[in-house]
Amino acid sequence: MKRTCQFPTQTLLIVIGALLFIPFLGNVHLFDWDEINFAESAREMLLTHNYRTVQINFESFYEKPPLFIWLQAFSMNCFGVNEFAARLPNALCGIITMLAVFRVGRSVFTSQLGVLWALLFAGSILPQIYFKSGIIDPVFNLFIFLGIFFIFKVSVANNSEPGKGLERNRRINLVLSGLFIGLAALTKGPVAILVSVLTASVCFLMNRGKLKIKLGEIIGWGAVVFLVGLAWLSFEIRANGMHFVNEFVRYQIRLFSTKDAGHGGAFYYHFLVLIIGVFPASALIVDAFRKNAHDDFAQKSFKQWMICLLLVVLVIFSIVQTKIIHYSSLCYFPITFLAAYYLHYLFEDKMRWTWRQTVPLLAIGALIVVAVSGIILLVQHPDAFIHYIKDDFARACLQATVDWSNGDIIFGWIYAAGIIIAIRLAQTKHVKLGAYLIISSSALFVNILAGVFVPRAEQYSQAALIEFLESKQNENCVIETARFKSYAHYFYARKPVPSASDSSKTVYVITKVNKADAVLLQRNDLKELYRKNGWVFFEKSR
């Protein structure tokens, strides 16, 4: 009966997830580098029928394992080589993530906390945006979270699951944990093992023997992780030796020790990203860190695991020299959990709404609204500030013709009004209505950004480039980039498998306006075709 009563809740979560994540998937082109990179690897898999090795430009690509690329290749095989197919795996992952956190929250706490967790995950800004993207991290993070959850279940089994089936359940949970961590490693690499081991180690140290796991269970867990990863890696090593392993390790070391591809940042970079990007959940977590006498042993332990996960990820990627916004995206799980935890006890009248929630909601919400509205106003009137910009490419991009209206900023102010009304409702004891208004307002705001504003914003960045590339899809030609890195010319020009006749094809060269003179000095065989929005297009003289 209990399962039957829960089924409509899960169906509702599926519907909400589908409405939030699937619309607008194909509304804007894939973005350089990561989105196009992975989509191109999937396209090349379909062309070459080589599903063992990840490729870019039909050469081995050693930076990522293949699991996510397999998902994209399967999607493209069903729906065609396009933006929708490239992003669909993450949209489906978003729905599965909502169901996963609901079921985890329900199993450890209550259905109410599970629902709040699922809605906060879907309604916060960056988590929702990532489920509309074509990057690896949503799938990678889900596997790690599930792997850590099943380790948690093993650690508290002696205290919360007495009975004759205890040992069998421990073995099942260990195997499931190892399976998911192995799949995570197969998605993005061994950092999944590092994060899960460090999180578990910190939790066990904090609990000083209250959590139990045997040495044999640790060895068994490691064996499962190893076998899942080895299932693919053994074929790769048999075909190409240790070359993939060596190159992959070098890449990971470079990310850790250097500012790869110019992606540097301050030590506090990820703190700021999470505070602003996981709004409104990030504004509701302060009181969740406090000790709570209402929690039983398993609930108290699970909260510790989530806090440890948050701290481990923050410390690791604050140390890593390469700072990219999605590196800390695994923190979305503990942050949204802590927000759901607070709201759950607020609804039960076991916590209070105070200035510690009001101030962050107002401050971060105001920052987001002012930033979005300010950017819209600035791009509508580029002449007011463009002369302050020193970069020629940026100036040329901002001169693109884009259809804006004076009423566009109203969306941001409606969102601000929603936050203020929600806070007022919470302060006047209508806490449930206020909480759901905050979540739904944020979810709607992100969807408007994705569906209305991001396609316009693309006109300033890569639209002219991709327009040229798409015009060459049916032309027998070769396209090169000069003095900038891109994967767009492979995917959007639909580069075919290289052949011996490539030398006789028409050659086009693309560069940025601030690099054009240097390119012409280096190559005197180029004839300029045209310039548009900061991009310069050449044809090689025959």
Side-chain angles (χ1 to χ4, degrees):
M1 177 64 69
K2 184 177 179 181
R3 289 186 177 181
T4 302
C5 292
Q6 292 299 337
F7 181 74
T9 301
Q10 295 180 74
T11 303
L12 180 61
L13 291 177
I14 292 171
V15 172
I16 291 172
L19 291 174
L20 289 178
F21 307 141
I22 294 178
F24 310 123
L25 286 183
N27 201 40
V28 65
H29 296 108
L30 301 172
F31 286 94
D32 255 344
W33 294 340
D34 287 353
E35 276 200 306
I36 299 180
N37 180 348
F38 306 140
E40 173 60 16
S41 293
R43 187 187 74 90
E44 292 182 17
M45 272 189 178
L46 294 176
L47 280 180
T48 62
H49 303 290
N50 178 4
Y51 298 96
R52 186 193 69 247
T53 304
V54 179
Q55 300 175 86
I56 281 289
N57 195 23
F58 301 98
E59 298 176 354
S60 295
F61 181 68
Y62 301 107
E63 295 182 9
K64 297 292 183 290
L67 194 149
F68 183 73
I69 312 302
W70 290 338
L71 296 178
Q72 285 190 312
F74 178 76
S75 180
M76 289 181 184
N77 191 54
C78 295
F79 299 102
V81 178
N82 53 52
E83 293 83 2
F84 176 86
R87 291 174 175 141
L88 182 62
N90 277 345
L92 299 179
C93 176
I95 297 170
I96 295 169
T97 298
M98 290 182 68
L99 293 176
V101 298
F102 165 73
R103 294 178 70 89
V104 169
R106 183 184 65 182
S107 69
V108 182
F109 290 86
T110 66
S111 293
Q112 177 178 259
L113 189 143
V115 169
L116 287 167
W117 193 358
L119 294 179
L120 280 162
F121 210 115
S124 295
I125 294 173
L126 280 180
Q128 188 183 152
I129 289 173
Y130 276 24
F131 289 136
K132 294 174 174 291
S133 75
I135 64 174
I136 284 177
D137 297 79
V139 174
F140 176 67
N141 294 338
L142 176 60
F143 285 146
I144 295 179
F145 169 73
L146 291 174
I148 287 175
F149 170 67
F150 286 110
I151 297 176
F152 153 78
K153 289 195 71 174
V154 172
S155 74
V156 299
N158 288 334
N159 302 83
S160 60
E161 296 180 13
K164 60 183 180 180
L166 174 63
E167 289 302 317
R168 178 175 175 272
N169 289 339
R170 288 176 69 91
R171 287 193 296 270
I172 292 173
N173 289 330
L174 273 171
V175 170
L176 288 172
S177 174
L179 172 64
F180 284 118
I181 297 300
L183 290 172
L186 197 55
T187 303
K188 198 173 181 180
V191 69
I193 303 171
L194 175 66
V195 169
S196 58
V197 169
L198 284 178
T199 301
S201 300
V202 172
C203 283
F204 277 88
L205 287 172
M206 288 177 60
N207 281 275
R208 300 176 184 176
K210 293 179 183 178
L211 304 179
K212 304 291 185 182
I213 190 166
K214 303 170 186 175
L215 178 61
E217 291 175 330
I218 296 173
I219 295 171
W221 177 87
V224 174
V225 174
F226 178 75
L227 288 173
V228 173
L230 190 66
W232 162 75
L233 194 58
S234 60
F235 290 100
E236 178 64 29
I237 293 174
R238 190 181 305 170
N240 298 314
M242 295 295 291
H243 191 57
F244 172 85
V245 176
N246 295 335
E247 291 297 322
F248 183 80
V249 169
R250 289 193 187 99
Y251 171 71
Q252 300 301 320
I253 293 172
R254 188 172 76 247
L255 284 181
F256 192 91
S257 59
T258 65
K259 299 175 182 179
D260 190 63
H263 292 292
F267 182 83
Y268 53 81
Y269 172 88
H270 289 293
F271 290 87
L272 294 179
V273 166
L274 294 171
I275 288 170
I276 298 171
V278 197
F279 184 82
S282 60
L284 298 171
I285 67 174
V286 174
D287 285 353
F289 288 97
R290 297 183 172 190
K291 289 184 178 180
N292 189 342
H294 301 289
D295 289 340
D296 62 27
F297 176 78
Q299 292 167 346
K300 186 184 300 182
S301 296
F302 185 77
K303 188 170 82 169
Q304 285 184 333
W305 278 84
M306 290 293 97
I307 292 172
C308 289
L309 176 60
L310 174 62
L311 295 177
V312 165
V313 174
L314 270 176
V315 170
I316 289 175
F317 291 106
S318 294
I319 294 172
V320 170
Q321 292 299 302
T322 302
K323 299 290 194 293
I324 300 177
I325 190 171
H326 53 259
Y327 278 10
S328 57
S329 56
L330 183 55
C331 293
Y332 302 166
F333 283 93
I335 290 174
T336 52
F337 162 74
L338 291 169
Y341 176 92
Y342 165 74
L343 289 178
H344 166 67
Y345 282 113
L346 181 69
F347 289 2
E348 297 297 313
D349 204 28
K350 295 173 182 176
M351 285 188 176
R352 294 288 179 266
W353 185 279
T354 69
W355 64 269
R356 289 187 295 273
Q357 290 74 48
T358 299
V359 172
L361 280 169
L362 286 175
I364 302 170
L367 178 63
I368 292 169
V369 170
V370 170
V372 171
S373 301
I375 290 171
I376 292 172
L377 285 174
L378 285 174
V379 296
Q380 285 179 313
H381 306 93
D383 294 339
F385 68 94
I386 202 167
H387 56 278
Y388 293 108
I389 298 174
K390 305 301 181 184
D391 186 274
D392 292 336
F393 177 69
R395 281 203 306 272
C397 288
L398 287 168
Q399 292 173 349
T401 302
V402 182
D403 183 25
W404 294 99
S405 69
N406 293 329
D408 287 330
I409 63 169
I410 195 173
F411 293 109
W413 296 107
I414 291 174
Y415 180 39
I419 294 172
I420 293 170
I421 294 169
I423 291 172
R424 187 58 184 158
L425 287 169
Q427 290 174 333
T428 55
K429 306 302 182 182
H430 299 285
V431 291
K432 288 189 177 182
L433 185 57
Y436 289 126
L437 178 58
I438 290 172
I439 296 169
S440 58
S441 297
S442 297
L444 182 61
F445 180 65
V446 175
N447 259 278
I448 291 171
L449 287 178
V452 178
F453 296 120
V454 173
R456 296 182 192 175
E458 190 201 9
Q459 299 298 313
Y460 297 105
S461 58
Q462 61 178 21
L465 168 65
I466 292 176
E467 176 187 87
F468 175 82
L469 297 173
E470 289 180 327
S471 71
K472 304 301 177 185
Q473 285 184 7
N474 298 318
E475 184 176 334
N476 190 24
C477 63
V478 173
I479 300 178
E480 302 172 1
T481 60
R483 292 182 173 263
F484 76 100
K485 182 179 178 179
S486 175
Y487 300 103
H489 56 301
Y490 305 138
F491 185 81
Y492 280 106
R494 300 291 190 262
K495 181 176 180 177
V497 178
S499 65
S501 62
D502 283 353
S503 59
S504 63
K505 296 179 179 179
T506 302
V507 177
Y508 297 102
V509 178
I510 306 169
T511 192
K512 298 179 179 180
V513 68
N514 57 337
K515 310 285 187 180
D517 291 341
V519 170
L520 288 171
L521 282 174
Q522 187 179 23
R523 301 180 61 169
N524 57 12
D525 59 343
L526 299 179
K527 178 181 68 174
E528 183 175 324
L529 297 176
Y530 67 93
R531 302 182 177 208
K532 185 174 182 181
N533 300 344
W535 300 98
V536 185
F537 305 96
F538 297 101
E539 181 179 349
K540 183 178 178 181
S541 302
R542 292 181 177 273

